[in-house]
Amino acid sequence: MDPEAQQEARQAGHETHEPQDAPEAAPSVGGEAVERLERAVRAAETALIEYEIAVETFRVEVENFSRLHEQRLGPLYGRIEELDVLIAEAVAACTGDPEDVRRAREARASFLPMPAVEELYQGWMDSAGLPPEAVAMLTGQRVRPPERVRPSERARRLYRELVRSAHPDLVQDEAERGRREEFMTRANKAYSDGDEEALAALAEEWAAGPRTGEERAAARGEELYARLEWLARRKEMLAAAAAELEEGAIGSMLRLAPDDPDGLLEEIAGRLHERIAEKEARLAELTGRMDQAGRAERPGPTG
């Protein structure tokens, strides 16, 4: 990553709760503890967003560098490979040595075009960007599409029962209406996910009746602890993605010139042009020898 992105990532990483820092089980919590947990979650979410920005910034640089590398330098690498083949063939033609002939044939057989851009990413990421897991990091949306268009019959039955019993329009009291709206939001999400177990748990929760203030605080505490653990896992996933980017072929090249990657491309292009000039001169020398040898073998004019 560039220095600024690295600093942002390090700062975000320190501010984000690591997996080992998250408790194995959420203890019972009161109102003040819930407020502290909510502040911790907000801080972790903010830090994770900053980390995602840093990783995405570096990903864009890697993709841009990769494409420019292929566009600008690909033809130069291809020319160098072609010249190597031509030189090997010219050497074989000059010497006639079986070993030189074998090398020339192998060089011609292995002559392939520049690898595609996607290969430079080593298969971990497509051209659309980060993996779906990263895109879904802070949205809470499922990573993969649903397995079927219509949820199972059991999920549909549970959902209908919940709607019939918990719909907000069935009451007039504003407080109770708000409770039902929040509950139905969770039920709608579980149904859209086709999550039978979540719908069954919601059915049990509704049948048990409204929670007391203490029960609501405990449940909220559990949700917040789970959120912290989830944020830590997402941060870990992004850290792995960033490490893979940095260790890849293009990321390694970017680390050579984090402040001026465009200048690095120009520098590499200059070196490649020098190599091409040297190889073209070598090929011209060999071709000249072949021409001289050919003229020497031809008989002169007869009188």
Side-chain angles (χ1 to χ4, degrees):
M1 297 186 189
D2 63 69
E4 182 179 355
Q6 287 180 337
Q7 177 63 28
E8 292 175 354
R10 282 196 295 268
Q11 182 178 357
H14 289 314
E15 293 175 356
T16 305
H17 289 258
E18 298 290 349
Q20 60 267 28
D21 294 336
E24 295 182 358
S28 60
V29 291
E32 293 183 3
V34 168
E35 290 180 3
R36 289 197 299 271
L37 276 173
E38 287 178 339
R39 288 195 295 271
V41 167
R42 286 195 296 271
E45 288 173 339
T46 299
L48 194 56
I49 289 171
E50 294 302 318
Y51 194 83
E52 183 185 14
I53 291 171
V55 174
E56 176 66 8
T57 298
F58 185 59
R59 183 200 67 76
V60 169
E61 291 179 1
V62 167
E63 182 168 350
N64 290 344
F65 191 95
S66 178
R67 294 190 181 282
L68 289 172
H69 184 275
E70 181 184 23
Q71 292 170 3
R72 297 181 185 177
L73 307 186
L76 301 181
Y77 284 117
R79 178 57 177 164
I80 288 173
E81 292 180 6
E82 180 186 20
L83 286 169
D84 286 337
V85 173
L86 295 174
I87 289 172
E89 291 174 341
V91 169
C94 286
T95 66
D97 187 287
E99 186 64 20
D100 290 337
V101 173
R102 182 188 63 80
R103 293 195 187 97
R105 288 175 178 170
E106 289 181 352
R108 174 61 66 180
S110 63
F111 181 48
L112 296 174
M114 179 87 169
V117 175
E118 289 75 12
E119 295 179 28
L120 297 172
Y121 290 105
Q122 301 176 345
W124 86 271
M125 177 181 69
D126 58 26
S127 61
L130 288 171
E133 286 81 0
V135 177
M137 183 183 61
L138 293 177
T139 65
Q141 300 296 317
R142 60 185 165 209
V143 172
R144 293 176 177 81
E147 297 180 358
R148 50 194 296 178
V149 173
R150 178 176 295 165
S152 68
E153 181 59 36
R154 179 171 180 247
R156 291 157 62 195
R157 176 177 56 80
L158 288 168
Y159 179 70
R160 290 193 195 100
E161 291 174 357
L162 285 173
V163 174
R164 289 172 183 143
S165 59
H167 199 284
D169 289 346
L170 297 176
V171 296
Q172 293 183 343
D173 180 75
E174 287 302 318
E176 175 63 12
R177 185 180 181 85
R179 182 178 81 88
R180 287 172 175 249
E181 287 175 348
E182 185 275 333
F183 181 85
M184 286 309 303
T185 297
R186 291 189 286 147
N188 289 338
K189 183 179 187 306
Y191 181 67
S192 68
D193 291 343
D195 192 336
E196 294 182 13
E197 299 307 317
L199 288 167
L202 287 168
E204 292 180 3
E205 177 184 331
W206 186 258
R211 291 171 172 169
T212 64
E214 186 175 322
E215 288 173 337
R216 285 196 298 272
R220 180 58 176 160
E222 292 176 359
E223 292 175 3
L224 291 169
Y225 271 92
R227 178 66 170 170
L228 284 174
E229 291 175 342
W230 182 76
L231 288 166
R233 289 194 299 271
R234 290 302 186 188
K235 187 263 179 180
E236 209 172 51
M237 180 275 297
L238 273 180
E244 196 159 359
L245 275 172
E246 291 186 333
E247 293 167 4
I250 296 300
S252 299
M253 294 178 70
L254 276 174
R255 288 204 305 271
L256 297 175
D259 296 326
D260 187 17
D262 294 292
L264 176 60
L265 280 175
E266 295 300 324
E267 180 182 346
I268 296 173
R271 294 175 183 173
L272 293 178
H273 279 296
E274 291 177 0
R275 290 176 59 189
I276 288 172
E278 293 172 359
K279 290 180 181 293
E280 287 178 338
R282 171 62 173 160
L283 180 61
E285 178 187 352
L286 291 169
T287 303
R289 290 182 188 176
M290 292 168 57
D291 291 342
Q292 290 178 359
R295 286 195 297 271
E297 292 177 358
R298 288 196 297 270
T302 57

